[in-house]
Amino acid sequence: MEIAILIPCYNEEKTIGKVISDFRKELPEAKIYVYDNNSNDQTASVATLHGAIVRKEYRQGKGNVVRSMFFDIEADYYIMVDGDDTYPAEFVHDLLKPLKNNEADMVIGDRLSNGTYTQENKRNFHDFGNKLVRKLINTLYKSDINDIMTGYRGFNKFIVKSFPVMSTGFQIETEISIHSLDKRFLIKEIPIDYRDRPEGSVSKLNTYKDGYKVIKTIFTLFKDYKPLVFFSIWAAFFLVLGLLIGIPVIVEFFQNRYITKVPSAILAVGLVNLSILSQACGLILDTVSSNSRKQYELDLHRVKHLYK
């Protein structure tokens, strides 16, 4: 049984050595991979000195790093963790257990349910952003996941080798969570402790820029995975707006057999037409999505057979 520890890194020379040593202590048999994403400090050198397998990823962004890791690395179980020393290595056994028992395809290290993230995290709006994203995804996908964006996760080979990584940046965790929900992979959450970065270590996450990308990713994937619901919402919106503007025109016509509100009539007809077009788009794209889902299921069978 082979276990791979995956550590995406960008300018983490202050913490990467400790992260590698901590995981080496917990899982001496595991292979530890550090993918250096164009760091301009000594991250790669420090990781090499601590015995990690160091590789370069020249396309900038965490999503690009994860894509290469999933392509390149063969193992039975994968643990992905950030190189900033915010996730304690001692929880790795709890993450591996459900994978080994076939109780989960993906295990999420949940920082939020025990309150340590709220206590330790000093960055403004990150707690609010986590709650907003959790609420959005759980509402749209009728799920109950606590920590959508954690960087501490475990995977089995089945999900790693069948996951089509589309995100290039920090949206990757959100994409993995949504993809796993939509494709009905087994997901389990394990509460973990979280600690803030040590002195001198700086987060690369831009609260507003990356927060916007995460929200955009949620709505893009919602459109792609559930087009009928997405376009039906827009169809209902345009229809209600069209009726609100058009009903006074209709009432005037029945009272006087003549209308004076011609601009309102044109606008109402335009909005109702938009509503019809949106509903038609939703029906057509739902058929496309359904066929894509069937093809993905067939591909999953091939992946399962290939890697069992």
Side-chain angles (χ1 to χ4, degrees):
M1 181 187 67
E2 194 164 309
I3 299 170
I5 308 295
L6 315 181
I7 312 177
C9 269
Y10 174 65
N11 288 348
E12 301 288 8
E13 66 175 3
K14 291 186 180 301
T15 53
I16 187 61
K18 180 176 182 298
V19 173
I20 294 169
S21 298
D22 287 351
F23 276 92
R24 179 75 69 211
K25 181 182 172 187
E26 297 295 331
L27 291 173
E29 74 281 9
K31 290 183 178 177
I32 301 179
Y33 295 86
V34 171
Y35 272 52
D36 180 37
N37 197 200
N38 303 314
S39 297
N40 47 35
D41 62 5
Q42 299 303 310
T43 296
S45 304
V46 175
T48 302
L49 281 173
H50 282 78
I53 301 167
V54 179
R55 293 177 180 169
K56 292 279 187 181
E57 172 52 57
Y58 296 102
R59 290 160 291 199
Q60 197 66 45
K62 188 174 181 180
N64 287 322
V65 177
V66 173
R67 180 172 177 261
S68 291
M69 286 174 153
F70 284 8
F71 275 155
D72 299 343
I73 299 170
E74 297 293 338
D76 296 302
Y77 303 108
Y78 301 78
I79 297 293
M80 187 170 75
V81 66
D82 292 345
D84 55 9
D85 194 31
T86 54
Y87 297 102
E90 55 266 30
F91 287 94
V92 70
H93 305 287
D94 297 332
L95 266 67
L96 280 170
K97 190 176 176 183
L99 298 174
K100 292 177 179 176
N101 292 339
N102 292 320
E103 296 170 359
D105 297 305
M106 176 174 72
V107 181
I108 294 173
D110 169 19
R111 311 158 293 173
L112 305 180
S113 62
N114 65 7
T116 53
Y117 183 81
T118 304
Q119 292 168 7
E120 291 287 320
N121 179 52
K122 307 295 190 304
R123 288 157 288 180
N124 294 329
F125 301 114
H126 280 216
D127 208 28
F128 170 76
N130 272 297
K131 289 176 182 173
L132 176 66
V133 169
R134 178 178 61 189
K135 182 74 176 172
L136 263 177
I137 290 180
N138 284 336
T139 301
L140 294 176
Y141 290 89
K142 296 181 174 60
S143 58
D144 190 26
I145 295 180
N146 278 320
D147 196 348
I148 301 289
M149 297 194 289
T150 179
Y152 199 5
R153 294 168 188 259
F155 308 98
N156 61 19
K157 185 184 286 187
F158 182 41
I159 192 168
V160 165
K161 295 303 177 185
S162 64
F163 176 50
V165 179
M166 303 302 292
S167 300
T168 57
F170 282 110
Q171 318 92 296
I172 183 65
E173 282 94 358
T174 305
E175 185 190 356
I176 291 174
S177 297
I178 293 176
H179 174 81
S180 302
L181 285 169
D182 185 72
K183 298 301 183 290
R184 295 176 293 161
F185 285 108
L186 286 170
I187 302 172
K188 188 159 188 173
E189 283 191 293
I190 301 292
I192 60 165
D193 289 343
Y194 177 87
R195 58 193 175 216
D196 204 6
R197 284 171 169 267
E199 192 71 27
S201 173
V202 180
S203 173
K204 320 306 179 300
L205 188 68
N206 184 302
T207 302
Y208 304 105
K209 187 178 172 184
D210 291 309
Y212 167 74
K213 288 179 181 176
V214 167
I215 298 295
K216 185 181 171 189
T217 297
I218 292 171
F219 283 104
T220 300
L221 292 177
F222 182 55
K223 171 181 69 66
D224 292 345
Y225 289 160
K226 297 180 181 294
L228 184 58
V229 179
F230 179 85
F231 284 99
S232 292
I233 291 171
W234 281 108
F237 173 74
F238 288 130
L239 181 62
V240 169
L241 206 57
L243 289 175
L244 286 175
I245 295 171
I247 284 176
V249 179
I250 295 170
V251 170
E252 183 187 33
F253 175 77
F254 279 110
Q255 286 176 343
N256 305 321
R257 295 294 171 187
Y258 185 78
I259 60 168
T260 57
K261 301 170 181 173
V262 176
S264 295
I266 294 172
L267 181 58
V269 170
L271 288 167
V272 171
N273 280 336
L274 273 177
S275 172
I276 294 169
L277 282 172
S278 295
Q279 194 62 58
C281 284
L283 289 168
I284 293 168
L285 291 174
D286 185 59
T287 303
V288 174
S289 175
S290 176
N291 287 333
S292 172
R293 194 181 297 273
K294 289 172 187 170
Q295 185 58 49
Y296 186 83
E297 285 294 319
L298 291 174
D299 292 340
L300 277 183
H301 282 282
R302 295 190 189 98
V303 172
K304 189 85 172 180
H305 179 72
L306 188 63
Y307 290 105
K308 71 179 181 180

